[in-house]
Amino acid sequence: MVFVHFLLIESDLQICQDRAPTCCTKKMEESYQAAVRRERMQSIQALNFELKYMIVGHTTAFQEAFESFLRLAENRTRSLFEAAYRPMAKEAAEPVKELFTDISLYILGAETTVENAVLRFFDSLFPLVYSRLINPGITDLSEDYTECLRLTRQDINPFGHYSKNMVTELSKSLWASRMLSQALSLGTEVINTTEHAALTKECSRALVRMQYCPHCQGLTLIRPCVGYCLNVMRGCLASVSELDMQWREYISTLEYLTNEMGASHDLEIALTGIWNSINEAILHAQLNGPQLSATVDKVCGQPKRQEGNLSSGHIVPLKKATEAQTLVLAHASLNNKRSSLPLKASKNDKSRSLKKISREFINYMKRSRTFYASIAERLCDGDLVMRDSSTCWNGEDVVESYTSRVVSSGLKAQINNPELKVRGLDPLISNLIDKLQNFNQLDAEKAKLKLERWSSRDTGSGGGRSEELETSGDCDDEDGCQGSGDRIHTADILKDKRTHPENRNEPKPTMKKIVTTTTTSTVKSSSKHSVTGNGSSAALSSSLVILTALAVLWPCPP
């Protein structure tokens, strides 16, 4: 079969202008420009496919691992309350749920902090511990009294240093997870933006001249010279290649974050250890119950007694409450054994550890360190150019070799590009570079600050009770912590509540001077808050039981 090419002189061609006869028209040139835009995007997508697949796939894997750890940690914490603190288990379910929801949102990048989440949990927990464990005879607390207990926790610190330690340990581990989540999202954004970056007019014309102008002369089998292709591609991708430096730094950031997650700041250990921190905090509050009761009475007054008929479902029998309290106090001796709660892992939990996922991911990402520096070379590889032929296309004619200068990659080098003019950095790419730079700098600066703060804290001497009452200064808002200046003290809020009472018939919490001591005091809260009536003798016996347990477990002052 014989193909006949009809050649003519087309004077209005804008790209494939040549003295020789041509079979192209202006409309064909426009079709060629649309074709090179489409082909260029497909070529970039093909190069990005494996990298994008790895980032998106591991983003999903990391999120599934996070959710698995959170689910396991929440289940263990719920089991703690059901097994050891049954009188308050039902009421504690909602604060526990809110705690782990806040942690999940923090990891995913929400505008919240670890300290806010943890302290809000302990604010909600203290009224339950006070009314169900320390003084189990209290029933039906009023909203004002409960709010007073919540606010008092911030000042008297009933959970000792355990709440502060929980903030510090979680901040270390969750910070790396949060930053990694943001890093993966940023990596996906970089890939998507480079795939859909628009071609400049000069680039599309250069690509048409390189790939389709030979067709206008009937040269359908000829391919561009290697040097010619490199000049065209490096000019078209000059802005994209400017990502190289920040992309290399981004890979180093990923490596640092994955190492952090797999080292001393192990996320799985931190999350699954939450239940133990909460348990120790509650035990601390119980052991200091007499002082707490005395201080709360001075700050909030005595709880209001509900009059009238109360359903038996709302009353906690003193005998059962005292037995539960004794059980919890005895549980302290078991705490040293670090025995885990009887909880089976969920069937949906992933068998692959986060460390293994991180190792596989970072090993691949390290190989893509030069991805944007070598993107032009990769596009000119394969079938696009002539490598084993004695002739090739140089943009004007068929030649034996390309004799023009071949420029290097990068925006500055394109000033000497003989094939096309590059006018400046693409605004979209410029925005990506700024985002990568800001992320990399933020990560480096914060890592340095964290190392200094945590090293100082770990090597510093231990403090007494006065240090336990202070707010942690080991981390800032970005770490998931906030400063003590953000706290609202009990005196300020209760003063306003006391000034505008809504119901004068209902006793309001009264604000008095807080005096916190560490000396031994008599336990009068149990008898004061016991159920009245025929149960007075039982209340006295219960007080003696609690005094005996406290005497055994509470170390005497020297």
Side-chain angles (χ1 to χ4, degrees):
M1 183 178 293
V2 178
F3 291 93
V4 179
H5 295 276
F6 295 94
L7 303 179
L8 52 91
I9 302 296
E10 184 67 37
S11 60
D12 60 348
L13 293 179
Q14 300 296 318
I15 302 173
C16 300
Q17 296 176 342
D18 197 279
R19 296 179 181 178
T22 177
C23 61
C24 292
T25 63
K26 185 176 181 180
K27 187 174 182 179
M28 291 176 65
E29 281 187 337
E30 294 174 353
S31 299
Y32 288 155
Q33 290 189 70
V36 295
R37 291 190 186 96
R38 182 174 61 253
E39 291 167 359
R40 187 262 189 183
M41 185 176 70
Q42 291 173 349
S43 298
I44 297 293
Q45 287 177 340
L47 289 180
N48 282 344
F49 176 78
E50 186 177 2
L51 180 61
K52 185 176 183 178
Y53 175 81
M54 291 296 295
I55 293 179
V56 173
H58 279 78
T59 299
T60 302
F62 279 124
Q63 290 177 348
E64 289 177 350
F66 295 155
E67 292 172 0
S68 175
F69 297 154
L70 286 169
R71 191 164 52 245
L72 179 61
E74 183 175 356
N75 288 340
R76 284 187 173 182
T77 306
R78 288 179 182 274
S79 297
L80 167 69
F81 285 98
E82 293 170 359
Y85 305 106
R86 190 169 300 173
M88 55 184 286
K90 184 176 181 180
E91 295 169 293
E94 188 63 26
V96 169
K97 180 180 178 181
E98 291 179 355
L99 171 64
F100 285 95
T101 299
D102 288 343
I103 290 175
S104 177
L105 292 174
Y106 173 78
I107 292 176
L108 296 176
E111 292 297 328
T112 185
T113 64
V114 173
E115 186 174 30
N116 275 342
V118 173
L119 295 186
R120 183 162 55 248
F121 167 76
F122 281 112
D123 286 346
S124 300
L125 185 66
F126 180 52
L128 301 179
V129 172
Y130 186 79
S131 62
R132 299 292 182 265
L133 300 180
I134 296 176
N135 294 293
I138 300 178
T139 59
D140 293 313
L141 296 178
S142 66
E143 292 183 5
D144 284 344
Y145 196 85
T146 300
E147 183 65 14
C148 182
L149 289 175
R150 287 172 56 88
L151 298 173
T152 302
R153 192 219 56 88
Q154 301 178 10
D155 290 326
I156 67 175
N157 195 27
F159 300 110
H161 65 277
Y162 296 105
S163 58
K164 173 183 174 181
N165 289 351
M166 183 171 165
V167 169
T168 303
E169 292 304 317
L170 283 178
S171 295
K172 291 179 181 181
S173 301
L174 298 184
W175 172 81
S177 303
R178 175 185 173 95
M179 294 296 289
L180 181 60
S181 178
Q182 293 178 0
L184 294 173
S185 297
L186 181 56
T188 303
E189 182 182 355
V190 170
I191 293 175
N192 289 336
T193 303
T194 54
E195 282 183 356
H196 298 92
L199 292 181
T200 63
K201 181 179 179 181
E202 290 81 2
C203 175
S204 65
R205 290 167 63 91
L207 288 173
V208 169
R209 189 179 301 111
M210 181 179 74
Q211 293 180 249
Y212 289 103
C213 283
H215 296 186
C216 297
Q217 299 181 30
L219 304 173
T220 57
L221 298 179
I222 199 71
R223 295 287 185 273
C225 302
V226 175
Y228 176 43
C229 179
L230 288 173
N231 276 342
V232 172
M233 290 301 182
R234 285 172 178 171
C236 286
L237 298 170
S239 292
V240 174
S241 64
E242 288 297 303
L243 289 166
D244 175 58
M245 181 180 297
Q246 293 304 322
W247 181 257
R248 291 172 185 263
E249 186 65 27
Y250 168 79
I251 299 300
S252 299
T253 300
L254 284 179
E255 185 175 9
Y256 167 76
L257 291 174
T258 52
N259 289 338
E260 284 292 289
M261 291 179 61
S264 59
H265 307 153
D266 189 285
L267 177 67
E268 184 175 6
I269 294 176
L271 290 177
T272 54
I274 288 178
W275 75 270
N276 188 59
S277 298
I278 294 174
N279 184 45
E280 291 178 338
I282 295 176
L283 291 172
H284 179 88
Q286 286 186 281
L287 293 176
N288 291 276
Q291 295 100 315
L292 294 175
S293 295
T295 304
V296 168
D297 285 347
K298 294 178 181 179
V299 178
C300 301
Q302 296 186 21
K304 174 182 177 292
R305 292 298 171 185
Q306 297 289 342
E307 298 179 358
N309 295 328
L310 293 176
S311 63
S312 59
H314 290 83
I315 299 177
V316 180
L318 186 61
K319 181 179 180 181
K320 291 185 178 180
T322 306
E323 290 175 353
Q325 187 181 35
T326 306
L327 173 64
V328 172
L329 289 171
H331 183 67
S333 62
L334 299 177
N335 203 36
N336 294 328
K337 298 180 180 180
R338 302 293 181 184
S339 59
S340 60
L341 292 173
L343 179 71
K344 293 183 179 180
S346 170
K347 294 181 179 180
N348 295 326
D349 290 343
K350 300 296 179 182
S351 58
R352 300 175 65 202
S353 69
L354 192 59
K355 290 182 180 179
K356 184 176 181 180
I357 296 173
S358 302
R359 185 166 56 250
E360 293 174 353
F361 174 66
I362 198 59
N363 286 340
Y364 175 82
M365 293 302 294
K366 284 162 68 174
R367 295 196 296 270
S368 70
R369 193 183 299 272
T370 61
F371 182 82
Y372 289 106
S374 60
I375 192 168
E377 287 82 351
R378 298 175 69 185
L379 287 174
C380 287
D381 198 10
D383 296 334
L384 183 60
V385 299
M386 299 289 284
R387 293 188 177 275
D388 300 327
S389 176
S390 58
T391 58
C392 58
W393 175 256
N394 68 353
E396 296 179 353
D397 203 353
V398 177
V399 297
E400 293 183 356
S401 63
Y402 183 70
T403 57
S404 298
R405 175 182 180 179
V406 178
V407 299
S408 58
S409 60
L411 194 61
K412 292 182 178 179
Q414 304 314 307
I415 192 173
N416 297 316
N417 195 319
E419 303 303 335
L420 74 159
K421 292 181 179 180
V422 179
R423 301 187 182 279
L425 188 62
D426 186 327
L428 291 177
I429 302 299
S430 177
N431 184 46
L432 277 183
I433 293 174
D434 290 341
K435 287 184 177 182
L436 285 169
Q437 186 174 15
N438 291 336
F439 178 82
N440 293 331
Q441 288 179 348
L442 177 67
D443 180 78
E445 291 171 1
K446 290 181 67 57
K448 182 179 179 181
L449 288 174
K450 286 175 185 300
L451 182 62
E452 293 174 353
R453 290 171 180 169
W454 294 337
S455 297
S456 175
R457 181 183 182 279
D458 293 338
T459 57
S461 59
R465 184 173 180 82
S466 61
E467 286 189 2
E468 294 176 5
L469 293 177
E470 295 178 358
T471 304
S472 171
D474 296 329
C475 45
D476 53 28
D477 292 351
E478 291 291 337
D479 303 336
C481 307
Q482 64 181 17
S484 58
D486 293 336
R487 292 199 171 198
I488 304 174
H489 291 276
T490 312
D492 301 326
I493 292 184
L494 293 184
K495 181 179 179 181
D496 181 67
K497 284 180 172 288
R498 191 171 64 250
T499 307
H500 305 285
E502 296 178 1
N503 187 354
R504 298 185 180 274
N505 295 326
E506 178 179 336
K508 298 291 181 178
T510 57
M511 178 63 195
K512 301 180 182 180
K513 183 177 180 181
I514 301 176
V515 180
T516 305
T517 62
T518 56
T519 57
T520 306
S521 61
T522 59
V523 184
K524 55 184 178 180
S525 58
S526 296
S527 59
K528 179 189 304 181
H529 301 311
S530 61
V531 179
T532 58
N534 297 329
S536 58
S537 59
L540 181 60
S541 301
S542 301
S543 300
L544 294 176
V545 172
I546 297 173
L547 274 173
T548 303
L550 287 172
V552 173
L553 295 174
W554 197 358
C556 297

